[in-house]
Amino acid sequence: MAWIKKTAVGLVAAALLVGAGAAIYVQRTFAVVDGKITVAGLAGPVSVQRDGADVTHIGAQSPQDAWFAMGYVHAQERTWQLEFNRRVMHGQLSEVFGEATLETDKLMRSLDIVGTARKQYAGLPLYAREALQAYSQGIHAFHKNRPQALPPEFLVLGAKPGGGAGAVWEPEDSVGWALMMALDLGGNWGNEFARLSVARTLDTDRLWQLMPPYPGEPPAASADLAALYRQLGVYRGEAAAGAAPSAGVDRGAALQAASRPGAAAPGQGGGPVARQISAGMLAWADELTRNAGTNDGKGSNNWVLAGSHTESGKPLLANDPHLSLSAPAIWYYARLQAPAGKASDGSPIAAIDALGATLPGLPFVVLGRTASVAWGFTNTSPDVQDLYLEQINPADATQYRTPEGWAPFAVRKEVIRVKGQPDVEIALRSTRHGPVLSDAQKSHADVLDLKKYVLALRWTALEADNQTVLAGLMVNQATSVEDLFAAFEHHHSPMQSVVAADVNGRIRFQAMGRVPVRAPDNDIRGVAPSPGWEARYDWKGWLPLDQTPQDEGAKGWIATANQRVTPPGYPHYLTQDWVLPYRYERIAQLIEARPKHTAASLQAIQLDTTSLATRHLLPHLQQAQSGHALAGKAQALLKDFDGVMDAGRAAPLVFAAWADELARGVIIPRIGEARFAATYGKRDYRAGIEGILQRNDTWWCQPSTCAEQSGAALGRALDRLQAAYGADPAAWRWGDAHPAVSGHRPFGNVAALARFFDVRVPSHGDGYTVNVGQYNAGDAKGPFMNRHAASLRAIYDLADLEQSTFIYQTGQSGLVFSPRYRDMATDWAGSGTRLLQREPARWVHSLTLRP
């Protein structure tokens, strides 16, 4: 008994020691938010105060110290986020995650994000380079004498900030991160490639039925695309098309294998956690590379009302940018304040006083307000990317065809370090148009005959004169709408639909950014890959800024929701891939529903969950005939359904499952399972399905009628829902299938860790509601999960800017153990907000950084 007692005491003591050690470690990961810290590199003391809304206020005695402190604070709160993002754009994920992320690294190396960033950084004016240098120095200063422990991501993965080489964040990395945002928001090469792929099995008229132009517009391309590609012989032979890829990871097989219990992803051994991390990163990397260069499923809302439409007589402005949800969030809220100063060459720097959403990686407020002006973004989404078919010289594979004859590919070698595997050396080619994507995107080998053709990319963001970061710095100094748009003249990529208002009552919209001009005889106009050896398909310059879409607010309000923003008779071609106008139409309905608005009524618009797109298709579902045992109960639920995508109702779930099954049932027989899987997902083919049902198109619906296809889709949908949620449709809930998931990379893919690192809340909406809830119907594990939504909501009251509000979906801290990691989530999912004030009522934390 004595021996047992001693052993028990020893075990308890050991457990207490382990627990105490864990508690100490957890406490040491928290950011230091009170007291004083000596930081080498500052010229003077900087106050870092956090208010009751948890907004971080940085007050410095010079602009350089303000930018330095912003870097320090981002490193405090978002160390792993900065490290992960740096590895993404450098193409260095595989050093940590092994072969699972090799394809993503290849794509980033092919685009040469870092090399381009260095060139663009060199072209910035001195004061902008010094701003990025100061920000980088602040991040380095945090790591040099780190007052807190590294977060658990580094420990679990065995990673070190900067890869252990000390380059935790360089000035050029900020330019690179601006390029990555342009890559996420400013692309359509995915749509071009999808049209190329689908044109193999559909003639051009059917192609435009499946992927229609914007409502009311003809197809932008007059060329017969299907005939052109057949004539050129661009596709792989039928036998080869069914063969396994000749090189690289077989993504489909790897994803299936990695999902099996106990299975390891390619090139990745280790225990269960390591295998789950690798499998999850493989799935994430596959989605990233597959969806790169597409705007499908991406959107935002903004609108501004003149004083004539508000109760206060002063403007109101609302903005909710829609981005992929992540934990931590993409945003970090802060105020930067500093008096006017000078660059090292004596040139003046205006005073800074900006408050709002910053992006970790950039030293300025991206979306927000100053003391007298507020602004908001949505994506304009012009066509700023063109794919070019580059014909390979059959006598010399090192050459490609140009208008002047054969020319050599430019070739550079890259070495990618892969954890647990030998280094991978790759040769990456480029042409006069840009990088050869076929050297990095495996999907090209599945479609093209790469012995004859490759695809090269021309993209505005890669131009050497891209000075988007300069615009961001200057915007933080604006005091009026005029100042603001003068600053945005430097904004390059991606083009943004900017709305703004100031305290003097001025409102304005303009699309700001670089758009290419295409020749009149360009009969493809960038909607699909063009022959790269024909000069008529080359860009002919840039659209002058004074000719981009703009509006001074003559009707009293302006709204953009990624719809066509060009007025009737607009003489320039921007794109045909505008987002369907459902969100804009609903916003317009709600603005015009009352003569005068308040901040509260604008918030109600932001939270609206009526889907006009659902209403458009709903009659076809309500009329669907099915012999399924649950069909009667399901139709009873749909009888009074009004298209409000409420998380607590069953009808939205029935509709979403039916729409998914209908798309599969109608489209797969026409283009094939593999091609559908490669092009479906965030692209839901909604416009195509609407047209097919509206026309009662027998070619698409064969061998059944469209009504029979609709009924069969309902039966398949009910089978799925019964298997997942039980046999009582009244108990089904849209919110159960449609939670908003802010996923952590990489631990959101580890079952034992996801509940701690992911942020998950019930959510309303769909991809077409103002309160958007975009889902990827092609994701077998979570086809209706909301992973792309309002990344923040903000409302600015120009009658009293101190009453402006914001909210986003996680919390300010990126440190998982912090109570500030997820403390906004419930308010974001509901109707909660936080005040966005320059002069808050109280300070919760006060820290001084001193030299």
Side-chain angles (χ1 to χ4, degrees):
M1 288 296 296
W3 177 83
I4 292 174
K5 289 180 180 179
K6 289 180 180 180
T7 301
V9 169
L11 291 173
V12 170
L16 290 173
L17 287 172
V18 170
I24 292 170
Y25 165 71
V26 167
Q27 189 65 38
R28 288 191 61 233
T29 64
F30 292 173
V32 177
V33 293
D34 290 297
K36 297 178 180 179
I37 301 176
T38 300
V39 180
L42 287 169
V46 178
S47 68
V48 180
Q49 297 175 294
R50 290 166 170 86
D51 65 20
D54 203 21
V55 176
T56 300
H57 295 245
I58 294 172
Q61 298 175 18
S62 70
Q64 288 87 347
D65 277 358
W67 296 319
F68 180 105
M70 189 75 265
Y72 190 93
V73 168
H74 279 164
Q76 270 192 316
E77 301 272 33
R78 303 291 183 88
T79 302
W80 172 249
Q81 186 177 37
L82 286 169
E83 175 67 14
F84 187 89
N85 291 347
R86 185 190 65 79
R87 286 187 175 277
V88 171
M89 64 181 165
H90 279 257
Q92 295 177 346
L93 288 170
S94 299
E95 293 183 10
V96 174
F97 300 107
E99 196 176 0
T101 53
L102 183 56
E103 297 303 313
T104 298
D105 284 347
K106 286 180 180 179
L107 178 59
M108 294 303 120
R109 301 289 184 97
S110 175
L111 292 171
D112 196 21
I113 295 293
V114 172
T116 301
R118 293 189 181 113
K119 295 173 186 175
Q120 294 177 356
Y121 172 79
L124 292 171
L126 178 65
Y127 112 81
R129 296 199 306 273
E130 290 185 348
L132 301 186
Q133 290 165 12
Y135 178 77
S136 170
Q137 290 163 3
I139 296 174
H140 278 265
F142 169 79
H143 285 285
K144 186 174 182 180
N145 294 294
R146 193 183 307 115
Q148 63 195 68
L150 284 172
E153 292 92 334
F154 290 95
L155 302 185
V156 174
L157 296 169
K160 295 181 180 180
V168 290
W169 194 271
E170 300 307 299
E172 298 88 343
D173 288 336
S174 291
V175 180
W177 195 240
L179 285 172
M180 291 299 296
M181 294 304 299
L183 178 64
D184 186 47
L185 295 172
N188 82 320
W189 95 60
N191 282 338
E192 292 188 42
F193 185 73
R195 291 186 180 107
L196 173 71
S197 177
V198 171
R200 181 170 190 170
T201 57
L202 297 180
D203 63 34
T204 301
D205 288 341
R206 302 294 186 195
L207 171 63
W208 291 124
Q209 291 174 356
L210 179 62
M211 303 178 71
Y214 193 72
E217 295 183 355
S222 58
D224 186 338
L225 298 175
L228 172 66
Y229 298 142
R230 284 196 300 269
Q231 179 184 357
L232 293 176
V234 302
Y235 298 112
R236 291 180 69 186
E238 291 297 336
S246 58
V249 178
D250 183 336
R251 314 299 284 176
L255 285 167
Q256 288 182 354
S259 67
R260 291 195 298 267
Q268 182 69 47
V273 170
R275 290 194 294 270
Q276 289 182 55
I277 289 173
S278 183
M281 290 305 296
L282 179 65
W284 172 82
D286 183 71
E287 182 178 359
L288 185 148
T289 52
R290 187 162 55 91
N291 291 324
T294 176
N295 286 321
D296 290 295
K298 299 174 182 177
S300 303
N301 307 315
N302 64 16
W303 59 93
V304 60
L305 278 61
S308 59
H309 281 60
T310 69
E311 290 189 2
S312 70
K314 289 286 189 177
L316 287 165
L317 189 150
N319 190 200
D320 52 294
H322 307 159
L323 296 168
S324 294
L325 303 181
S326 63
I330 192 172
W331 304 110
Y332 182 87
Y333 263 73
R335 179 191 179 195
L336 278 77
Q337 187 276 326
K342 293 182 178 180
S344 62
D345 64 352
S347 56
I349 303 173
I352 300 169
D353 193 353
L355 173 64
T358 71
L359 286 170
L362 296 171
F364 47 78
V365 171
V366 177
L367 292 169
R369 69 177 186 89
T370 65
S372 53
V373 61
W375 69 95
F377 286 174
T378 67
N379 215 19
T380 313
S381 301
D383 186 348
V384 296
Q385 293 178 340
D386 277 2
L387 289 180
Y388 289 91
L389 284 161
E390 307 287 21
Q391 186 176 11
I392 298 172
N393 187 343
D396 183 354
T398 67
Q399 295 181 333
Y400 69 100
R401 187 179 174 188
T402 76
E404 291 77 34
W406 300 107
F409 288 100
V411 182
R412 74 178 194 280
K413 299 290 182 67
E414 294 272 351
V415 176
I416 301 175
R417 295 176 58 193
V418 183
K419 183 178 181 180
Q421 299 287 326
D423 292 351
V424 174
E425 182 175 317
I426 55 176
L428 298 171
R429 295 171 291 179
S430 60
T431 72
R432 66 193 187 95
H433 295 115
V436 173
L437 293 185
S438 304
D439 290 339
Q441 289 208 286
K442 189 191 75 64
S443 57
H444 292 192
D446 297 336
V447 175
L448 290 173
D449 183 345
L450 294 184
K451 294 180 180 180
K452 296 167 61 177
Y453 297 97
V454 292
L455 288 173
L457 172 71
R458 180 84 192 269
W459 177 26
T460 55
L462 299 180
E463 300 294 315
D465 64 346
N466 184 346
Q467 295 191 338
T468 296
V469 293
L470 175 61
L473 292 165
M474 295 178 65
V475 163
N476 286 198
Q477 302 161 343
T479 59
S480 66
V481 165
E482 289 77 9
D483 284 350
L484 190 82
F485 280 95
F488 277 126
E489 289 181 5
H490 297 279
H491 184 87
H492 187 291
S493 299
M495 177 176 260
Q496 296 291 287
S497 294
V498 183
V499 298
D502 62 27
V503 294
N504 297 318
R506 179 85 188 275
I507 70 170
R508 183 180 168 189
F509 149 76
Q510 187 169 356
M512 305 300 291
R514 184 71 64 85
V515 179
V517 173
R518 295 174 175 86
D521 61 346
N522 182 337
D523 58 357
I524 297 179
R525 302 182 91 177
V527 302
S530 305
W533 56 92
E534 294 194 32
R536 62 178 167 144
Y537 296 117
D538 292 339
W539 294 352
K540 306 303 180 184
W542 309 108
L543 181 65
L545 186 60
D546 63 1
Q547 296 179 41
T548 64
Q550 49 197 286
D551 187 344
E552 299 286 342
K555 68 179 179 181
W557 61 270
I558 308 164
T560 78
N562 317 110
Q563 85 287 0
R564 183 180 62 192
V565 295
T566 55
Y570 183 73
H572 306 292
Y573 172 73
L574 296 187
T575 185
Q576 74 163 28
D577 289 331
W578 310 103
V579 170
L580 291 173
Y582 291 118
R583 280 186 289 110
Y584 170 77
E585 290 170 354
R586 182 61 177 168
I587 291 167
Q589 286 178 0
L590 295 172
I591 289 176
E592 293 178 344
R594 55 186 294 169
K596 303 284 185 178
H597 281 271
T598 65
S601 67
L602 262 61
Q603 183 191 23
I605 298 175
Q606 285 185 330
L607 298 176
D608 184 77
T609 57
T610 296
S611 174
L612 298 184
T614 296
R615 287 182 177 178
H616 191 86
L617 279 186
L618 185 58
H620 297 280
L621 171 57
Q622 291 171 328
Q623 296 163 17
Q625 300 295 315
S626 171
H628 196 284
L630 299 182
K633 292 181 178 179
Q635 288 292 8
L637 293 170
L638 293 165
K639 182 179 179 180
D640 298 321
F641 182 43
D642 55 0
V644 175
M645 305 299 282
D646 188 290
R649 299 181 67 180
L653 179 56
V654 176
F655 175 86
W658 167 80
D660 178 34
E661 289 296 337
L662 182 63
R664 294 173 184 275
V666 169
I667 298 172
I668 288 175
R670 307 279 78 84
I671 68 172
E673 181 79 46
R675 193 163 286 110
F676 179 84
T679 58
Y680 192 53
K682 290 182 179 179
R683 178 187 295 109
D684 61 7
Y685 288 118
R686 180 62 63 89
I689 291 295
E690 288 178 355
I692 290 166
L693 294 184
Q694 183 175 356
R695 296 188 306 271
N696 192 24
D697 196 313
T698 56
W699 186 88
W700 282 98
C701 293
Q702 64 178 301
S704 306
T705 67
C706 289
E708 290 169 341
Q709 285 279 14
S710 182
L714 176 58
R716 294 193 302 273
L718 294 175
D719 281 340
R720 284 174 59 184
L721 298 179
Q722 182 176 2
Y725 304 107
D728 181 8
W732 299 345
R733 297 290 178 267
W734 178 228
D736 292 341
H738 188 250
V741 181
S742 298
H744 179 276
R745 293 190 294 267
F747 294 159
N749 302 300
V750 181
L753 300 178
R755 61 189 295 262
F756 301 105
F757 285 86
D758 283 357
V759 177
R760 179 185 295 241
V761 288
S763 68
H764 306 286
D766 69 3
Y768 301 96
T769 51
V770 179
N771 185 4
V772 76
Q774 177 70 35
Y775 53 85
N776 182 346
D779 181 354
K781 292 185 177 180
F784 304 121
M785 285 185 177
N786 177 7
R787 296 183 181 272
H788 195 104
S791 60
L792 66 84
R793 298 189 193 95
I795 295 175
Y796 306 95
D797 186 345
L798 278 298
D800 182 1
L801 277 168
E802 290 292 270
Q803 297 306 306
S804 300
T805 59
F806 79 99
I807 199 72
Y808 63 91
Q809 88 284 0
T810 60
Q812 287 277 77
S813 178
L815 306 169
V816 68
F817 300 122
S818 170
R820 300 164 48 243
Y821 182 77
R822 64 182 75 234
D823 60 333
M824 291 191 227
T826 301
D827 285 341
W828 172 85
S831 58
T833 62
R834 295 187 178 189
L835 286 170
L836 187 62
Q837 298 180 313
R838 295 169 67 244
E839 303 295 337
R842 65 189 181 96
W843 301 113
V844 177
H845 298 287
S846 294
L847 174 69
T848 299
L849 304 179
R850 58 187 183 187

